[in-house]
Amino acid sequence: MTTTRVPRPSQAPAPAPAAPPVRQLPVRRRRPAMVAASVALIAVGALSGAYLYVATGHRTPVLALAHDVPAGAVLAADDLVEAKIATDPALKPVAAQDLKSVVGKRAVSALPAGSLLTAKSVTSDPLVGPGQQLVAVSLEPSRIPATPLAPGQKLQLVQAPRDGAGAVAATQAPAPPVAAVVVRVGKPAGSGETVVDVAASAADGATLARWSARGEVAVLVLPAGG
């Protein structure tokens, strides 16, 4: 007996799963004004950084005080050192190359070590002005302050007669003090006396000279600006 095979219908392949739809991100429109502002800010930041780099990198040699210099002292080359600082319009120090222009000038006020020297810190005006005389006053250690005197200091010189040696009579009114300014302080002698050159008015010069010759001068130091 003959059998006939009936062909089975071919099975179609299973369909592939559909791909998920692609989401498109919304396109943001850039506003021209915002773009321009961003570019401007970036440019300003870059310029500021460049300026700071140049300003801090460029330093100018100027003059500074190597040590404390009292008021009225005459500046010497070894009183000054070269310092390099960043340029600043608010600062007006003397340039290091102008050292010779300030050497020999007098300090207007006390100049502390490390401070910058400016044109207003020194003067070429002498301490002995018109109508004044330079008087040498000899002072014993007991008649002078322990704090060293310095050029430019203002003094009151008082007559203080020695006991039993040319003393002013008790009935005589004491002489008024004499105003003076320190010009130069000498080194103490072996006896301990120190000679101080002072500038006093021409009317008081002779009086101070007589007091000094008799050893009758005592010193009162006035406060700065007094």
Side-chain angles (χ1 to χ4, degrees), residues 99-185:
L99 173 65
K100 293 182 179 180
S101 67
V102 295
V103 169
K105 291 186 176 182
R106 181 172 54 85
V108 175
S109 59
L111 304 176
S115 61
L116 299 180
L117 185 72
T118 66
K120 294 183 178 180
S121 302
V122 295
T123 180
S124 56
D125 296 336
L127 282 176
V128 182
Q132 291 183 321
Q133 292 179 340
L134 185 66
V135 183
V137 179
S138 181
L139 299 170
E140 296 179 356
S142 60
R143 294 171 177 257
I144 189 172
T147 302
L149 297 177
Q153 281 183 314
K154 296 181 179 181
L155 308 176
Q156 273 193 345
L157 302 180
V158 181
Q159 184 184 19
R162 297 173 180 272
D163 294 337
V168 179
T171 57
Q172 184 178 349
V178 173
V181 178
V182 178
V183 176
R184 183 178 179 275
V185 181

Side-chain angles (χ1 to χ4, degrees), residues 16-119:
V22 178
R23 295 182 60 187
Q24 294 184 352
L25 296 176
V27 179
R28 295 182 179 179
R29 296 182 179 179
R30 297 181 178 179
R31 298 179 180 178
M34 295 183 64
V35 174
S38 300
V39 172
L41 288 175
I42 294 173
V44 170
L47 290 175
S48 299
Y51 172 78
L52 290 176
Y53 174 80
V54 173
T56 55
H58 180 67
R59 295 181 176 273
T60 303
V62 298
L63 293 177
L65 277 299
H67 47 255
D68 293 343
V69 173
V74 177
L75 287 181
D78 57 0
D79 293 327
L80 303 168
V81 294
E82 181 179 311
K84 292 185 178 181
I85 63 170
T87 55
D88 190 331
L91 300 177
K92 296 181 180 180
V94 178
Q97 63 185 10
D98 296 332
L99 173 65
K100 293 182 179 180
S101 67
V102 295
V103 169
K105 291 186 176 182
R106 181 172 54 85
V108 175
S109 59
L111 304 176
S115 61
L116 299 180
L117 185 72
T118 66

